[in-house]
Amino acid sequence: MFEPEIKHIEAENVAFIEMRGPYSQIPESYGRLYGWVEARGFKPAPDKMPAAVYLTMPEETSEENALWELWAPLHGGPPDLPVDEVGIGIKRVEATRVVSLMHKGPYDTVGPSYEKVVAFIANEGLAVSGPPMELYYSDPNNTAPEDYLTEIRFPIGDA
């Protein structure tokens, strides 16, 4: 669980919001995203976790210029919807292989876990094939930061 492993991830449909700038927007943006899902009568997938997908790497891009998406997995496979006037849409995320690692602790302590995943990918002769993502298993409103569980995923292909 707390060591890198290769996993196959099934395809899914997600509501998503495209974001730019500071990551401090995440809590409010999840509220907007899940509010949009509810207002349109969609149902979150009960067995899937919300995710953040980092389209720019934090160590390479200033936070002000960061590009990222938040995903809310949906139940029942609703059709794709283009991004609307509030910046939210629905898309299908295809099945993929990932290197996954569960991180326990505050969000600002994930750096060593990322390093562990990157080293595993290199040691196994794999190649990163897409942006990294984090899946959030803990509700910050009722979980102490030292108990947060965050799954780090890197999509992979063969090197």
Side-chain angles (χ1 to χ4, degrees), residues 75-146:
H75 178 71
D80 288 3
L81 291 173
V83 173
D84 66 11
E85 68 280 352
V86 297
I88 301 174
I90 296 176
K91 66 181 172 182
R92 181 160 181 80
V93 179
E94 296 304 326
T96 189
R97 282 189 326 148
V98 301
V99 172
S100 168
L101 179 136
M102 188 66 73
H103 171 83
K104 183 176 182 182
Y107 299 133
D108 62 357
T109 65
V110 299
S113 294
Y114 270 83
E115 291 169 8
K116 199 180 230 186
V117 171
V118 169
F120 179 88
I121 290 168
N123 290 338
E124 295 295 315
L126 303 168
V128 173
S129 64
M133 63 185 67
E134 296 177 358
L135 284 75
Y136 304 110
Y137 288 78
S138 306
D139 181 348
N141 295 318
N142 58 26
T143 306
E146 61 271 13

Side-chain angles (χ1 to χ4, degrees), residues 2-67:
F2 296 101
E3 292 299 322
E5 63 180 327
I6 297 173
K7 294 168 70 172
H8 177 79
I9 306 302
E10 297 296 326
E12 64 184 342
N13 286 40
V14 299
F16 70 101
I17 184 169
E18 299 172 334
M19 299 297 301
R20 175 185 288 276
Y23 304 119
S24 60
Q25 301 174 83
I26 288 176
E28 183 270 333
S29 298
Y30 268 128
R32 286 180 41 217
L33 180 60
Y34 278 94
W36 183 94
V37 166
E38 183 178 326
R40 281 153 184 79
F42 298 116
K43 302 284 184 232
D47 59 337
K48 306 275 183 161
M49 297 295 114
V53 181
Y54 297 99
L55 303 173
T56 54
M57 293 301 288
E59 67 275 0
E60 298 170 3
T61 306
S62 72
E63 198 169 331
E64 288 300 316
N65 293 316
L67 298 175

